[in-house]
Amino acid sequence: GFGKVFIRWLINNVCQRCAELMTAHHYNISLTLNLGGTDLLDEDLPELLAQSIALWEIPAKNIVVEITENDLLIDEVKVTQVINKIVSLGCKLALDDFGTGYSSMSRLRSMPINLVKIDQSFVKNIATSNQDREIVLSIVKLAHSLEKEVVAEGVEDLACLNILKEMKCEKIQGYYYGKPM
C-alpha cells in the first residue's frame, strides 16, 4: 500500500541527492531512477518529477529514468504517454536488461530511448564466449547506428572491460568498478 508514497519519496530523494552532489563537487552528475511498470501507469508521475526537478533546481537531463522492456508490456499506450511526458521534461530514458525480455527493434526506433543497457548475462562472459561477444557487439553496433548510448552491465574484470572498450561501449557498470551502493 506504500507504492505511490515510496515512489514520490524516491523521486524527491534522487533529485535532492543530485542537487547536493552537484553543489558539493561542482560536477555535472546524473542519477538514475529505476521505475517499474506499475509506476509508469501513474499519470501524475511526470508532474511530480517536474516539481522535484524545479524544487531542487537541477537540469532535467541529469535524471535518467530507467525501465525494462517488460515494463512496456503492461499497458503500452498508457506507459508510452507517461514516458513521452517524462522525456519532454528533458529527462533521459534508459532501457535496462536489453535482450532478455520481449525485444522489439521497433521500440528502439520509436521510443525516445537515450541509453541501451546490455544485460549482464551477455556481458560477463564475453572474454570466454564467442557467442556472447558477438551478441554484445551486435547490440552495441545496433544502438550506435540508432544514435543511442550503450551501457554494459556485469563488467567484473579487466579482460571484459578491454573488449568493451574495443567495441566502443560508452559506459560500464559492474563489480570491476564497485559493488552496488
Side-chain angles (χ1 to χ4, degrees), residues 104-113 146 148:
S104 172
M105 297 304 143
S106 66
R107 272 203 194 91
L108 284 178
R109 181 185 63 209
S110 63
M111 296 283 299
I113 296 165
L146 297 172
K148 315 288 183 196

Side-chain angles (χ1 to χ4, degrees), residues 1 7 26 83 137 162 168 175:
I7 290 302
H26 306 290
I83 286 171
L137 181 59
N162 287 335
K168 307 264 190 282
Y175 285 173

Side-chain angles (χ1 to χ4, degrees), residues 8-20:
R8 281 159 170 65
W9 172 85
L10 182 63
I11 289 171
N12 188 61
N13 201 15
V14 165
C15 291
Q16 180 183 4
R17 296 294 168 256
C18 188
E20 289 171 351

Side-chain angles (χ1 to χ4, degrees), residues 10 18 112 124 135 141 149 159:
L10 182 63
C18 188
K124 66 181 178 181
I135 289 170
K141 285 182 176 182
E149 285 185 277

Side-chain angles (χ1 to χ4, degrees), residues 115 117-118 123 126 136 140 150-157 160-178:
L115 299 135
K117 295 184 76 175
I118 305 172
V123 174
I126 62 173
V136 171
V140 169
V150 181
V151 180
E153 299 178 312
V155 178
E156 297 181 4
D157 55 46
C160 183
L161 175 65
N162 287 335
I163 291 168
L164 290 163
K165 283 181 178 180
E166 287 175 24
M167 292 180 183
K168 307 264 190 282
C169 183
E170 292 94 343
K171 298 183 179 193
I172 309 297
Q173 179 179 320
Y175 285 173
Y176 181 76
Y177 287 111

Side-chain angles (χ1 to χ4, degrees), residues 17-173:
R17 296 294 168 256
C18 188
E20 289 171 351
L21 288 168
M22 289 174 68
T23 300
H25 300 286
H26 306 290
Y27 189 72
N28 194 19
I29 294 173
S30 294
L31 290 181
T32 300
L33 177 63
N34 291 343
L35 296 178
T38 54
D39 302 325
L40 296 169
L41 295 174
D42 183 353
E43 294 173 0
D44 296 331
L45 189 68
E47 180 59 29
L48 177 67
L49 192 52
Q51 289 171 0
S52 291
I53 288 168
L55 173 67
W56 296 105
E57 299 176 343
I58 59 171
K61 68 180 182 177
N62 291 44
I63 301 299
V64 180
V65 175
E66 185 173 306
I67 61 171
T68 66
E69 293 176 281
N70 292 335
D71 292 334
L72 300 172
L73 299 177
I74 294 172
D75 181 340
E76 193 162 353
V77 172
K78 195 170 189 180
V79 167
T80 300
Q81 290 171 346
V82 171
I83 286 171
N84 286 336
K85 288 178 184 175
I86 290 170
V87 170
S88 72
L89 297 173
C91 297
K92 291 185 179 179
L93 182 65
L95 187 60
D96 193 20
D97 299 336
F98 185 78
T100 62
Y102 177 74
S103 297
S104 172
M105 297 304 143
S106 66
R107 272 203 194 91
L108 284 178
R109 181 185 63 209
S110 63
M111 296 283 299
I113 296 165
N114 303 94
L115 299 135
V116 175
K117 295 184 76 175
I118 305 172
D119 188 71
Q120 59 91 21
S121 64
F122 300 115
V123 174
K124 66 181 178 181
N125 294 320
I126 62 173
T128 58
S129 168
N130 287 334
Q131 287 180 328
D132 285 349
R133 186 184 307 206
E134 288 303 317
I135 289 170
V136 171
L137 181 59
S138 296
I139 294 171
V140 169
K141 285 182 176 182
L142 173 65
H144 286 164
S145 71
L146 297 172
E147 299 179 358
K148 315 288 183 196
E149 285 185 277
V150 181
V151 180
E153 299 178 312
V155 178
E156 297 181 4
D157 55 46
L158 184 59
C160 183
L161 175 65
N162 287 335
I163 291 168
L164 290 163
K165 283 181 178 180
E166 287 175 24
M167 292 180 183
K168 307 264 190 282
C169 183
E170 292 94 343
K171 298 183 179 193
I172 309 297
Q173 179 179 320

